[in-house]
Amino acid sequence: MALASPPRSTSSRGLGMDTFSPLKTTPAAHRTGGLDVTLSVNGRDHHLTLDPRVTLLDALREHLGLTGSKKGCDQGQCGACTVHVDGERHLACLTLAASAEGKSITTIEGLAPEEGSLHPMQQAFMDHDAFQCGYCTPGQIMSAVACIREGHARTDDDIREYMSGNLCRCAAYPNIVAAIKQARDQMEGARG
Amino acid sequence: MRPFSYERAADMAGAIEAASVASDAHIRAPVQFLAGGTTLLDLMKIDVMRPERLVDINPLAPALSGISVREDGLRLGALTKMSAAADHPDVIRNYPVLAQSLKLAASAQLRNMASLSGNVLQRTRCLYFRDVAWEACNKRNPGSGCAALEGNTRKHAILGVSPHCIAAYPGDFAQALLVLDATVAIAGRDGERTIPFHQLHRLPGDTPQAETNLAPGEIITHFDIPSRPWTRRSLYLKVRDRESYEFAVASAAVALDMQGGHVRDARIALGGVATIPWRASGAEEALKGGTLDESSAKAAAQAAFEPARAQGDNHFKIELGQATLVRALLDAASLEIRS
């Protein structure tokens, strides 16, 4: 579906439309043109002017150059676009960028504690060869980190159930479960 | 996606006012509320919904979300996320059918996004409804006919169907609210009103485009679930084509008030098989006052599907739905309830 057809025109940078103060808006102030949106991504604020149709996923990929979050189905069915919004895993493809203003967004690019290092989950995916083509991997990793934080990775069955929103067409599932268990023990050990 | 305007609701009155625009069909209403967006944005991307104006009601979340446990029941704020209710210890322990229906729905990501009120209002997964290449859909284009009637009906409803629409209601949580006698609190232009949950959804009849009894601009504010003798002996059983992250082919929400093997009260709702969250009153009556065993459960399940009208590919749902209900009843009867 989405893979076969390019995304429709959602890019609207530089339309130069009226400025918009979403946090103070009244019903009379609605606009179909460019919205001034500030997104906080990986600890940095980005000021963008966006068409209201732009999803968080398109804002990340097309406007901020953060292409780690993947567009798989663009319909909320595959999980490849999973990012953290205020620490919870969300689907960026079903989130309007404008509605993400004021939230703290973390993408795969911002997961590692510092430049050049890897998050234990990233290392675990490599250690366990938890992918083949790798397209679903950023979403799997973001989802898996949240899954552990939620306390939903206690057993293999729990991991399978709570990771079911992330599809892997290469079917690397057994290795993904193994990677999550390794990272779980490290993440929980680190927490003390 | 077609162009639309986006604004954040400053307050409840403003949101209600903005969306109080008459429309012949909910689906066609030019102003739509945005909560979790998991149904709305999906349907906008595939051009099924074409709102001109979105009113983001998430700024109202402080007033409209939260779970409060009271002596006489549970109050769930409309904008409470599905995941928050599914993981709440009191909901899990004392209202298991609610927690299970939520946990078994969608994926972890979607449950973090979707609100409880949005969940009960989610739209059918009927493939003919979701694909605008099919001209005939009485829900999308009132009066245009129903492509499903001549099409693949494996996933369609067998209860509550009409000659104009056989689209199945896809949700799970609604069946749980139904068996627990939940009420829905609604705010609108004329103030607040409360209705029993079973009055929220409308049978398709000859107006399948009108899916609920909500007027334009009305906002669900919360659900109240009374604590009753049957709330703890309750469960949700969901049968589907794959083990997780899938809609029900057949499901049953069951709540029982038992004394020994004797059924004082039975409350049953069915999912995956009906056009709306479906209360199986016939099955409840069949069980009340008797003992619950495999043969009485089977008799009740037969009564539940007595009004079923299968067509095309969905005849199997009668047997599957009955087997699902039998298992749910027997499982609920055998639950150990600790005080």
Side-chain angles (χ1 to χ4, degrees), chain A residues 22-23 25 27 30-31 52-53 74-77 82 89 91 93-94 98-99 101 143 152 161 164 166, chain B residues 1-8 10 38 41 45-46 53 56 87 103 107-113 244-245:
Chain A
L23 290 173
T25 192
H30 67 279
R31 297 277 185 276
R53 289 172 288 183
D74 206 26
Q75 289 192 328
Q77 297 180 2
T82 302
R89 44 179 162 163
L91 298 177
C93 79
L94 288 185
S99 70
E101 189 165 60
S143 192
H152 289 147
E161 171 62 34
S164 68
N166 291 84
Chain B
M1 249 191 283
R2 295 175 190 234
F4 58 85
S5 70
Y6 169 87
E7 72 207 60
R8 288 190 194 132
T38 54
L41 286 181
K45 285 184 182 197
I46 59 177
R53 183 173 173 187
D56 186 342
D87 286 343
K103 179 192 161 178
S107 68
Q109 290 96 317
L110 291 165
R111 293 193 294 271
N112 281 339
M113 301 167 72
S244 181
Y245 194 18

Side-chain angles (χ1 to χ4, degrees), chain B residues 1 11 23 51 111 119 136 145 157 166 170 232 282 285 290-291 300 327:
Chain B
M1 249 191 283
D11 53 41
S23 171
R111 293 193 294 271
N119 177 268
I166 58 169
R232 289 189 67 196
E285 291 309 317
T291 52
R327 201 175 111 200

Side-chain angles (χ1 to χ4, degrees), chain B residues 75-124:
Chain B
R75 175 166 291 185
L76 300 173
L79 293 185
T80 306
K81 299 301 184 186
M82 291 171 72
S83 54
D87 286 343
H88 193 282
D90 284 298
V91 181
I92 293 171
R93 181 175 188 273
N94 295 322
Y95 302 85
V97 66
L98 293 177
Q100 291 163 17
S101 69
L102 290 164
K103 179 192 161 178
L104 294 172
S107 68
Q109 290 96 317
L110 291 165
R111 293 193 294 271
N112 281 339
M113 301 167 72
S115 66
L116 295 180
S117 52
N119 177 268
V120 303
L121 299 175
Q122 70 180 306
R123 296 181 194 280
T124 182

